[in-house]
């Protein structure tokens, strides 16, 4: 039938245009980065390292592997964790660049290998060692004097994975992993966490000044203020976000953003929060969609019957 | 003085007929507005466009109630207030965004239908011209609307497009500043494009739609074979009850019943896109707030402007601008470039048929290349297809003159 033939031609060209300007164009515009499903073995770090760094990184990640195979003792690790509490104490105080994150759910959202690597050498684990080439030291650099042997690292990581691994909400995951650098204004979050309600404007302004001071400190440390993440879930593709969070250097070589070491489960939580804030209509969209489509399908069937009736005897 | 029946029931048929000529209106615009019977669903695209414009107007009115035209507030009023706080705000926004994109798909289908069947000739020149004016108005409406969310692509697309008005080597930066109201896009720029988007251009569009419909009434719409028949004779046949023998149908309800069916099917696609596949119409880059200090890695217009963008891009700036201008104007003057009096579908016009499909391929190639990064082979292809597009005009003149002479010879 002629009409269907015409429809096929129109559909063919429309779909062709769509494929060319959407999936194809985007595949040409953005480089492809392979993800590793949030496991941290240093593979990508070694591959992208300069020749002189390669050997160092290879050695570092093979040592991480060795420690990961040790059996950690959580009870022994608890004492070690006491040292961590010196900085990771929830006091919301900037220390050498950023606020040390709260570790209440560290065992639930971060990867084991990453935690081991971080305690061994924070700059290497975060894949930002290029930032500390000269005299500057990583703010957490002093950790190497606290955990000097492999077993003590295995112990404290065992403690985190056992005792700091309770149920975590998407919001908690975001606050522990991201908020010290990335504000989220649509969720009332600044680098200092949730902005409380103030009765007096004076108090609100005083708080605002504290936020600005904190932002200045982060800015001085990172080179620029890290972006607000309110809309990031719609501003970046899914695969970009995944590979970027797993290893920021893979998308922006030289970026000052450290790898935060989220595990696959930890990333799911953070992503759930980004979606909740940046794309809140998603559940509503999925609920309403079938009804609207159903309406127009019924509408079309009725319209077709009406058309048939009106055209009867015309041909 | 006209006669008014004092006993006519207020607002009844007779009462209204005496005052506004209701029966005449119904006859002229509906029941005796004759449409050829030999048509296909492509003839419904006009009503589909009218419906889409209605949907855009309606969704736009709802968005207008919460949108704030202020460089500091615009982004959040769209992405937070409308998307989060306003009940069904997200629905209106997605309908508006998808509608703005898909309306161009239908416009292009509508235009190419006109070209394929030669529906811009033999008394139908004004239909084409008013339609092209609508295309320009819709383009301006789309561009001004794209500024409003004040994201990165709003800002940088605005920067690039307004820079065109520096007119290449003429360096008319004064003109650019006058258009922007500032040295760079800023608050003054946003508020004037807001005005254009919600008032001036919609008024122009509504006026042009009326004109477009008006230009259609006397020459009648074309039919699938380009057949020129006696409308009066066909209409008399229809009115005499010989609906099968007659070559025409009335606009309402016969033609309309088919239009509405096509519209129903179209809205299934439309709302599928609104709910499940809207990213093509709402570019992720525009979900980053406008930042004059951070140029996005890739700046590209929405898909419907890509072909003209790609005519601009492969040349140096002066030649590019001229090519761009010629390309826009050429489509406008199609009824006068085409010298052949033949009104028939392209598949019955040998050379013209090849020309038509070549045009389709060239425009799709330009569209694809307009979004690809201008590197390596894409540059060469871009130049090739841009030149090919520019050759299509003279080629059409040659083809149609040949066609005309062959007709004389026959």
């Amino acid at each position: 039938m002629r009409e269907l033939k015409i429809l096929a031609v129109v559909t063919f060209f429309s779909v062709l245009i769509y494929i060319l300007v959407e999936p194809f164009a985007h595949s040409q515009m953005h480089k492809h980065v392979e993800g590793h499903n949030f496991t941290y073995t240093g593979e990508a770090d070694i591959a992208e390292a300069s020749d002189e760094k390669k050997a160092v990184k290879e050695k570092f990640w093979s040592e991480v592997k060795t420690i990961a195979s040790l059996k950690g003792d959580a009870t022994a690790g608890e004492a070690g964790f006491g040292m961590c509490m010196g900085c990771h104490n929830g006091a919301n105080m900037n220390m050498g660049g950023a606020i040390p994150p709260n570790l209440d759910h560290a065992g639930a959202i971060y990867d084991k290998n990453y935690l081991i690597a971080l305690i061994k050498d924070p700059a290497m684990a975060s894949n930002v060692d290029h930032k500390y080439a000269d005299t500057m030291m990583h703010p957490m650099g002093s950790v190497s004097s606290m955990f000097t042997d492999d077993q003590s690292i295995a112990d404290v990581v065992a403690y985190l994975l056992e005792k700091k691994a309770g149920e975590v909400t998407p919001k908690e995951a975001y606050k522990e992993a991201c908020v010290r650098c990335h504000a989220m204004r649509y969720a009332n979050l600044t680098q200092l966490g949730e902005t409380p309600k103030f009765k007096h404007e004076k108090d609100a302004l005083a708080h605002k000044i504290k936020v600005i001071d904190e932002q200045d400190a982060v800015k001085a440390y990172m080179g620029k203020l890290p972006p607000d993440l309110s809309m990031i879930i719609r501003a970046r593709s899914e695969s970009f976000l995944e590979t970027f969070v797993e290893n920021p250097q893979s998308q922006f070589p030289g970026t000052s953003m450290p790898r935060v070491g989220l595990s696959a489960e930890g990333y799911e939580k953070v992503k759930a929060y980004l979606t909740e804030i940046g794309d809140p209509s998603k559940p509503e969209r999925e609920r309403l969609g079938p009804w609207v489509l159903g309406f127009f399908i019924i509408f079309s069937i009725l319209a077709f019957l009406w058309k048939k009736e009106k055209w009867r005897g015309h041909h | 003085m006209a006669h008014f029946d004092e006993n006519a029931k207020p607002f009844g048929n007779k009462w209204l007929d005496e005052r506004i000529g209701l029966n005449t209106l119904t006859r002229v615009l509906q029941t005796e507005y004759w449409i050829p019977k030999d048509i296909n669903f492509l003839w419904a695209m006009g009503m589909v466009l009218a419906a889409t414009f209605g949907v855009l107007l309606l969704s736009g009115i709802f968005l207008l109630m919460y949108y704030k035209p202020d460089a500091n507030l615009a982004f959040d009023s769209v992405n937070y207030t409308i998307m989060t706080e306003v009940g069904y705000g997200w629905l209106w926004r997605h309908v508006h965004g998808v509608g703005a994109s898909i309306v161009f798909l239908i416009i292009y289908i509508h235009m190419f239908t006109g070209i394929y069947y030669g529906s811009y000739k033999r008394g139908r020149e004004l239909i084409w011209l008013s339609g092209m004016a609508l295309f320009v108005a819709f383009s301006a409406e789309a561009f001004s609307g794209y500024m409003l969310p004040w994201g990165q692509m709003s800002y940088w697309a605005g920067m690039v497009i307004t820079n065109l008005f520096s007119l290449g080597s003429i360096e008319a930066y004064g003109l650019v500043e006058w258009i922007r109201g500032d040295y760079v896009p800023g608050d003054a720029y946003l508020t004037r494009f807001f005005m254009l988007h919600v008032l001036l251009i919609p008024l122009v569009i509504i006026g042009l739609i009326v004109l477009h419909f008006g230009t259609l009434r006397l020459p009648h719409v074309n039919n699938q074979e380009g057949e020129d028949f006696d409308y009066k004779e066909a209409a008399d046949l229809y009115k005499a009850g010989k609906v099968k023998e007659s070559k025409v149908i009335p606009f309402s309800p016969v033609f309309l019943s088919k239009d509405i069916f096509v519209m129903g099917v179209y809205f299934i696609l439309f709302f599928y896109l609104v709910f499940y596949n809207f990213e093509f119409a709402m570019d992720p880059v525009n979900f980053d707030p406008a930042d004059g200090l951070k140029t996005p890695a890739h700046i590209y217009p929405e898909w419907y402007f890509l072909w003209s963008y790609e005519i601009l891009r492969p040349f140096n700036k002066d030649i590019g601008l001229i090519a761009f201008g010629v390309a826009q104007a050429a489509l406008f003057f199609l009824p006068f470039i085409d010298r052949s009096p033949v009104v028939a579908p392209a598949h019955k016009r040998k050379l013209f048929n090849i020309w038509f499909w070549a045009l389709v391929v060239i425009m799709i190639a330009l569209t694809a290349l307009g979004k690809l990064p201008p590197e390596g082979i894409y540059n060469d292809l871009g130049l090739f297809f841009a030149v090919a597009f520019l050759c299509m005009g003279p080629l059409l003149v040659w083809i149609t003159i040949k066609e005309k002479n062959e007709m004389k010879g026959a």
Side-chain angles (χ1 to χ4, degrees):
Chain A
M1 199 181 140
R2 193 185 230 176
E3 302 242 359
L4 288 179
K5 243 167 77 187
I6 297 170
L7 182 63
V9 172
V10 172
T11 310
F12 170 76
F13 283 113
S14 307
V15 171
L16 178 67
I17 294 171
Y18 173 79
I19 291 172
L20 287 171
V21 299
E22 279 295 306
F24 179 68
H26 285 284
S27 77
Q28 298 296 300
M29 269 188 279
H30 312 293
K31 63 172 177 176
H32 179 74
V33 174
E34 204 58 60
H36 302 81
N37 197 30
F38 298 95
T39 55
Y40 304 93
T41 59
E43 190 194 312
D45 306 34
I46 296 163
E48 73 201 14
S50 60
D51 288 345
E52 71 233 57
K53 279 253 179 101
K54 244 184 186 80
V56 187
K57 293 215 170 190
E58 259 166 30
K59 181 163 170 285
F60 173 76
W61 285 101
S62 80
E63 282 167 7
V64 170
K65 202 174 164 193
T66 315
I67 301 173
S69 65
L70 295 176
K71 199 179 147 34
D73 177 356
T75 326
E78 185 168 8
F81 186 71
M83 291 189 281
C84 305
M85 295 286 282
C87 296
H88 296 273
N89 51 18
N92 244 4
M93 286 284 290
N94 190 302
M95 292 190 185
I99 295 169
N102 185 329
L103 299 178
D104 285 351
H105 304 90
I109 59 175
Y110 301 118
D111 174 74
K112 178 183 165 187
N113 260 11
Y114 175 79
L115 287 171
I116 293 169
L118 186 79
I119 294 169
K120 207 172 148 48
D121 184 337
M124 283 286 231
S126 310
N127 204 11
V128 285
D129 45 299
H130 58 282
K131 279 166 49 177
Y132 309 100
D134 37 39
T135 52
M136 196 173 146
M137 193 173 93
H138 190 284
M140 192 175 148
S142 58
V143 71
S144 58
S145 61
M146 296 176 196
F147 299 94
T148 47
D149 64 300
D150 290 357
Q151 189 59 46
S152 67
I153 296 178
D155 290 347
V156 74
V157 170
Y159 172 78
L160 287 171
L161 292 174
E162 250 175 63
K163 303 292 177 191
K164 297 289 182 188
E167 192 54 37
V168 56
T169 64
K171 186 176 183 176
E172 283 167 335
Y174 182 85
K175 284 175 75 173
E176 288 182 27
C178 318
V179 89
R180 62 188 177 277
C181 293
H182 296 284
M184 206 183 211
R185 64 191 189 286
Y186 293 177
N188 192 32
L189 292 172
T190 69
Q191 281 76 4
L192 292 180
E194 208 128 13
T195 305
K197 280 211 179 332
F198 294 101
K199 210 170 163 191
H200 303 290
E201 197 189 351
K202 202 172 87 172
D203 300 331
L205 289 173
H207 181 79
K208 201 169 174 182
I209 288 172
K210 280 207 319 219
V211 171
I212 292 172
D213 283 341
E214 179 56 31
Q215 288 177 340
D216 285 346
V218 173
K219 204 159 141 184
Y221 175 52
M222 298 298 290
K224 73 184 264 279
L225 188 65
D228 183 294
L229 299 186
S230 298
M231 287 307 291
I232 206 75
I233 197 76
R234 290 198 69 169
R236 300 287 182 282
S237 73
E238 206 159 299
S239 77
F240 176 92
L241 280 181
E242 269 173 36
T243 49
F244 182 70
V245 170
E246 185 185 282
N247 181 16
Q249 306 298 329
S250 69
Q251 296 281 4
F252 292 142
T255 179
S256 58
M257 162 140 170
R259 165 194 284 147
V260 284
L262 287 169
S263 61
E265 302 79 49
Y267 177 72
E268 279 311 309
K269 295 280 180 190
V270 169
K271 188 173 127 188
Y273 194 59
L274 295 177
T275 308
E276 186 186 323
I277 301 303
D279 192 12
S281 64
K282 201 175 177 202
E284 183 78 338
R285 227 160 47 212
E286 281 158 7
R287 191 188 62 76
L288 197 60
W291 289 97
V292 175
L293 289 189
F295 172 84
F296 279 103
I297 289 169
I298 295 171
F299 178 95
S300 303
I301 294 170
L302 292 177
F304 182 70
L305 295 175
W306 185 50
K307 187 237 152 192
K308 266 205 110 80
E309 207 250 337
K310 287 291 158 200
W311 282 68
R312 189 175 300 140
H314 279 66
H315 281 301
Chain B
M1 211 180 109
H3 174 72
F4 292 96
D5 183 354
E6 288 184 10
N7 298 321
K9 207 167 127 217
F11 300 103
N13 204 2
K14 189 169 188 200
W15 191 87
L16 282 173
D17 190 39
E18 282 173 347
R19 282 158 180 79
I20 56 167
L22 185 68
N23 293 341
T24 313
L25 276 178
T26 314
R27 218 173 52 238
V28 170
L29 298 178
Q30 296 185 35
T31 55
E32 289 183 25
Y33 176 7
W34 303 106
I35 308 286
K37 194 192 280 174
D38 185 23
I39 53 171
N40 58 54
F41 77 91
L42 292 173
W43 268 250
M45 291 305 131
M47 290 305 281
V48 167
L49 279 173
T52 310
F53 179 68
V55 166
L56 283 166
L57 193 65
L58 183 72
S59 53
I61 287 170
F62 280 97
L63 294 173
L64 186 52
M65 289 187 226
Y66 292 95
Y67 174 74
K68 292 192 166 61
D70 176 315
N72 291 317
L73 304 174
F75 185 86
D76 289 349
S77 76
V78 173
N79 287 303
Y80 184 69
T81 311
I82 289 173
M83 292 302 281
T84 308
E85 298 201 312
V86 177
Y88 292 99
W90 60 270
L91 179 61
W92 293 119
R93 185 188 180 197
H94 282 197
V95 164
H96 203 69
V98 168
S101 191
I102 218 70
V103 81
F104 278 93
L105 176 67
I106 309 295
I107 288 177
Y108 283 126
I109 294 174
H110 197 53
M111 277 168 67
F112 276 90
T113 303
I115 299 175
Y116 188 87
Y117 292 99
S119 309
Y120 47 81
K121 289 189 271 194
R122 205 164 62 199
R124 300 198 179 93
E125 295 83 358
L126 282 177
I127 306 177
W128 179 265
L129 288 175
S130 58
M132 279 307 295
L134 269 170
F135 177 67
V136 172
F138 265 90
S139 300
E141 181 69 357
F143 175 74
S144 57
Y146 202 67
M147 299 298 105
L148 302 188
W150 209 235
Q152 272 291 69
M153 214 52 130
S154 304
Y155 183 93
W156 289 97
M159 184 79 101
V160 171
I161 298 301
T162 46
N163 260 338
L164 293 182
F165 291 90
S166 64
L167 306 177
S169 295
I170 298 174
E171 302 199 341
Y173 294 115
L175 180 61
V176 175
E177 279 159 31
W178 180 74
I179 290 167
R180 290 178 183 162
D182 200 342
Y183 299 107
V184 290
D187 205 56
Y189 175 90
L190 179 61
T191 49
R192 66 184 54 187
F193 276 88
F194 172 68
M195 179 284 290
L196 287 173
H197 187 72
V198 305
L199 180 71
L200 190 55
I201 303 173
L203 281 180
V204 170
I205 287 179
I206 292 168
L208 285 171
I209 289 176
V210 173
L211 176 66
H212 194 54
F213 283 167
T215 56
L216 198 60
R217 185 64 184 80
L218 293 183
H220 288 278
V221 295
N222 197 3
N223 55 65
Q224 276 196 106
E225 298 302 325
E227 190 190 352
D228 191 14
F229 56 82
D230 187 341
Y231 269 84
K232 194 168 168 340
E233 197 180 297
D236 286 343
L237 216 54
Y238 192 92
K239 283 195 278 189
K242 299 199 165 159
V243 294
K244 195 172 173 190
E245 291 76 18
S246 176
K247 287 182 173 172
V248 295
I249 48 169
F251 176 80
S252 173
V254 181
F255 178 69
L256 207 58
S257 68
K258 187 171 180 175
D259 267 2
I260 287 178
F261 166 62
V262 175
M263 244 186 257
V265 175
Y266 161 75
F267 276 119
I268 297 174
L269 168 74
F270 184 90
F271 281 100
Y272 158 74
L273 296 171
V274 166
F275 285 101
Y276 302 106
N277 201 348
F278 43 81
E279 274 207 357
F280 77 97
M282 308 177 85
D283 199 285
V285 180
N286 222 23
F287 286 89
D288 277 329
D291 183 347
L293 296 176
K294 205 170 91 187
T295 317
H298 303 279
I299 304 177
Y300 44 83
E302 287 291 274
W303 71 269
Y304 39 84
F305 293 143
L306 287 169
W307 69 270
S308 31
Y309 185 56
E310 190 57 22
I311 289 174
L312 182 75
R313 208 165 60 161
F315 304 101
N316 75 35
K317 69 177 177 182
D318 289 328
I319 296 175
L321 265 174
I322 293 167
F324 179 74
V326 168
Q328 311 302 317
L331 279 175
F332 238 98
F333 293 106
L334 197 58
F336 309 102
I337 295 174
D338 185 335
R339 314 302 295 237
S340 163
V342 178
V343 179
H347 62 261
K348 295 197 169 161
R349 292 174 61 190
K350 288 176 262 164
L351 278 179
F352 181 82
N353 196 29
I354 298 168
W355 181 87
F356 175 84
W357 291 108
L359 183 68
V360 171
V361 169
I362 289 171
M363 283 185 73
I364 291 177
L366 287 171
T367 300
L369 289 160
K371 196 158 176 177
L372 292 168
E375 302 156 350
I377 182 83
Y378 298 143
N379 261 343
D380 305 328
L381 285 173
L383 183 65
F384 172 78
F385 282 106
V387 172
F389 182 90
L390 293 170
C391 293
M392 291 303 271
L395 211 56
L396 182 64
V397 175
W398 179 73
I399 287 173
T400 49
I401 287 178
K402 197 164 169 299
E403 196 176 68
K404 190 177 170 184
N405 293 339
E406 273 168 21
M407 254 183 78
K408 269 188 205 152

